[in-house]
Amino acid sequence: MITELKQYTAKEICEGFVYNELEGKGLFGLNGKLTIQPEYQRNYIYADGKRDVAVIESMLKNYPLGLIYFNKTDGGQLEVLDGQQRITSIGRFVTGKFAIKMNGMEQYFSGLAKNQQDTILNTTLFVYECEGEEEEIKEWFKTINIVGVPLNEQEKLNAIFSGPFVTLAKEKFSNSLNANLSKWTTYVKGNVKRQEILERALQWVSQSDDVSGYMSQHRYDTNIKELETYFTTVIDWVSSVFSDVEPEMCGLEWGRMYELYHKNAYNPAKVSERVQALMADDFVKDKRGIFEYVLGGEVDKSLLNIRLFEPSVIKSVYAKQTQEAKAAGTSNCPICAACDNNNRTKIWDLKEMDADHVTAWSRGGATDISNCQMLCKTHNRAKGNR
Ligand SMILES: [Zn+2]
């Protein structure tokens, strides 16, 4: 099967647009050269005042409409494989079949300002034109519709925003011969050929998961300096702060962490010592959280998912503490027992107490019975906040 990426304006596509109101089918476009609804296509379902309107609104905002696929038939005719709904919406709007709401008013195409009409007509549609045996095409069409699109998000965006910027960016970030690749993939997860390293680089520099805005803005740039510099800066920062290389580092949100922490000063030797200690700590269940935990000054323990005391340990410590407290006539919370108020002799229920590390976990205290005490919830919380 041969595929070729082409561009058409909405105006070209809508030339000679024919819509069959009765059957709900967009029939022809491109001056009759394009069959919009081949037999195996489902009927037009966008005529609900929402999805059809959304297509037009996207065009007015210059949002990408996504890839469209045409099939080239033997006679040189084209038929829509994927994109029928979008094309039919555009054709119906341009030929006055429905209105959109603008500033609370219904607006048909003919009522729009000239510049808005032009925005719609000049919208570029990116089309993959495919040529192959009918069976092959149908099989492939099934794949993109049912099994999933063979192109991933970044691959689609690369096609939509094709131009000098994408070409340069791919040379750098999608090149399996790039000498920096092994260093990059220490920290960045993904398949270089499926554009996943590039995707991450774009996410970092744009500080967003949706990179389409950035790509659209830089589409015609003839250099990728900002993208390259930012990516390299993040990688260099990580590798200078963390001198050790751990498999758990791969795929972390380094771009976000760079933004949060790069202004802090770190002593790499000290950082390494802490990382190694935490890596070896059996109580740290989430090893991937160690790096941000250290960057943040070892405050947010929730990043580490610390192993808790076993319920059997809690029960047995509670029983022992309560028995001794009752015998002594004091509270079973040792801190309450030392207070000078009504709680001094209060015996708390198990559910009113929490297990506490006598020597804090962060100071090397173990999570076992020898280092477990029960505190009333108030005192446990107070201690945790210190
Ligand atoms: Zn207490």
Side-chain angles (χ1 to χ4, degrees):
M1 194 167 66
I2 310 159
T3 60
E4 188 187 355
L5 183 65
K6 290 232 182 164
Q7 304 184 12
Y8 293 97
T9 62
K11 183 171 188 242
E12 289 171 313
I13 297 277
C14 293
E15 213 76 66
F17 177 78
V18 179
Y19 178 69
N20 184 326
E21 200 77 63
L22 221 60
E23 291 185 61
K25 282 184 176 184
L27 298 179
F28 299 106
L30 278 176
N31 267 327
K33 196 181 171 201
L34 176 70
T35 305
I36 296 175
Q37 193 172 47
E39 277 317 304
Y40 49 87
Q41 277 272 22
R42 61 177 186 231
N43 278 3
Y44 176 64
I45 52 168
Y46 273 25
D48 58 3
K50 284 198 186 97
R51 281 179 286 188
D52 46 3
V53 167
V55 170
I56 305 306
E57 287 174 345
S58 301
M59 294 171 88
L60 285 169
K61 289 176 186 160
N62 285 314
Y63 291 167
L65 282 180
L67 278 181
I68 284 170
Y69 297 85
F70 289 173
N71 170 30
K72 216 181 218 167
T73 61
D74 288 341
Q77 284 285 112
L78 298 167
E79 41 180 53
V80 180
L81 279 170
D82 194 30
Q84 177 225 355
Q85 309 287 336
R86 283 163 285 171
I87 287 179
T88 305
S89 296
I90 298 165
R92 286 181 70 241
F93 184 70
V94 171
T95 53
K97 305 287 193 300
F98 70 96
I100 59 168
K101 270 232 165 75
M102 289 185 86
N103 309 319
M105 300 229 312
E106 295 243 301
Q107 291 281 11
Y108 284 89
F109 180 76
S110 57
L112 293 181
K114 177 76 170 58
N115 66 324
Q116 288 170 323
Q117 291 185 348
D118 287 344
T119 301
I120 288 172
L121 294 175
N122 296 331
T123 298
T124 307
L125 304 177
F126 292 90
V127 178
Y128 264 117
E129 286 186 6
C130 319
E131 218 176 332
E133 294 299 314
E134 193 178 329
E135 278 310 307
E136 198 182 16
I137 298 281
K138 279 182 184 169
E139 193 53 40
W140 179 73
F141 181 62
K142 251 195 260 166
T143 315
I144 61 173
N145 274 280
I146 300 164
V147 184
V149 189
L151 299 177
N152 64 29
E153 268 313 301
Q154 190 57 48
E155 288 166 335
K156 276 195 263 177
L157 289 172
N158 286 357
I160 292 167
F161 297 110
S162 66
F165 180 82
V166 162
T167 304
L168 292 169
K170 281 172 71 174
E171 250 165 52
K172 193 82 193 172
F173 293 100
S174 310
N175 177 357
S176 48
L177 298 176
N178 186 319
N180 292 315
L181 199 59
S182 74
K183 181 174 186 184
W184 292 352
T185 50
T186 305
Y187 309 106
V188 180
K189 203 177 195 159
N191 183 335
V192 65
K193 289 189 188 144
R194 297 298 313 266
Q195 315 298 323
E196 289 168 352
I197 309 290
L198 173 60
E199 180 175 38
R200 188 46 59 100
L202 287 162
Q203 286 170 343
W204 286 359
V205 72
S206 63
Q207 292 172 42
S208 160
D209 285 343
D210 178 9
V211 302
S212 58
Y214 188 88
M215 291 185 75
S216 150
Q217 198 185 339
H218 293 274
R219 181 165 175 196
Y220 298 108
D221 288 5
T222 49
N223 72 76
I224 55 163
K225 248 184 216 127
E226 184 186 51
L227 174 71
E228 211 180 335
T229 307
Y230 192 91
F231 186 78
T232 312
T233 306
V234 173
I235 297 284
D236 288 348
W237 173 76
V238 182
S239 60
S240 67
V241 174
F242 297 101
S243 39
D244 313 283
V245 168
E246 305 287 350
E248 287 82 359
M249 296 175 117
C250 185
L252 296 181
E253 296 171 32
W254 293 115
R256 180 183 60 75
M257 286 191 250
Y258 170 78
E259 282 301 319
L260 265 175
Y261 302 110
H262 79 273
K263 292 194 177 120
N264 301 352
Y266 297 99
N267 173 345
K270 187 101 182 91
V271 166
S272 169
E273 188 188 307
R274 290 303 300 141
V275 168
Q276 291 311 318
L278 291 161
M279 277 287 173
D281 191 326
D282 287 343
F283 297 107
V284 175
K285 283 204 282 185
D286 190 354
K287 303 288 186 205
R288 290 170 63 78
I290 288 174
F291 308 95
E292 184 161 17
Y293 177 70
V294 171
L295 288 172
E298 307 204 16
V299 177
D300 186 0
K301 289 200 204 82
S302 66
L303 289 166
L304 303 178
N305 192 7
I306 299 298
R307 211 170 85 200
L308 301 171
F309 289 107
E310 300 288 335
S312 62
V313 168
I314 291 176
K315 260 192 198 157
S316 114
V317 171
Y318 174 81
K320 181 164 178 280
Q321 248 176 251
T322 305
Q323 194 187 23
E324 287 170 0
K326 279 179 177 164
T330 62
S331 171
N332 57 349
C333 165
I335 301 182
C336 285
C339 284
D340 198 14
N341 62 33
N342 288 343
N343 285 344
R344 198 160 53 90
T345 56
K346 184 166 173 84
I347 298 294
W348 301 96
D349 283 343
L350 178 57
K351 62 175 185 294
E352 296 169 317
M353 304 185 88
D354 282 323
D356 170 59
H357 287 80
V358 179
T359 301
W361 168 84
S362 53
R363 294 201 180 85
T367 306
D368 62 23
I369 197 158
S370 69
N371 191 38
C372 178
Q373 70 176 344
M374 300 300 292
L375 297 178
C376 74
K377 285 193 187 287
T378 309
H379 282 128
N380 186 55
R381 222 168 289 139
K383 190 177 168 186
N385 289 340
R386 270 196 323 218

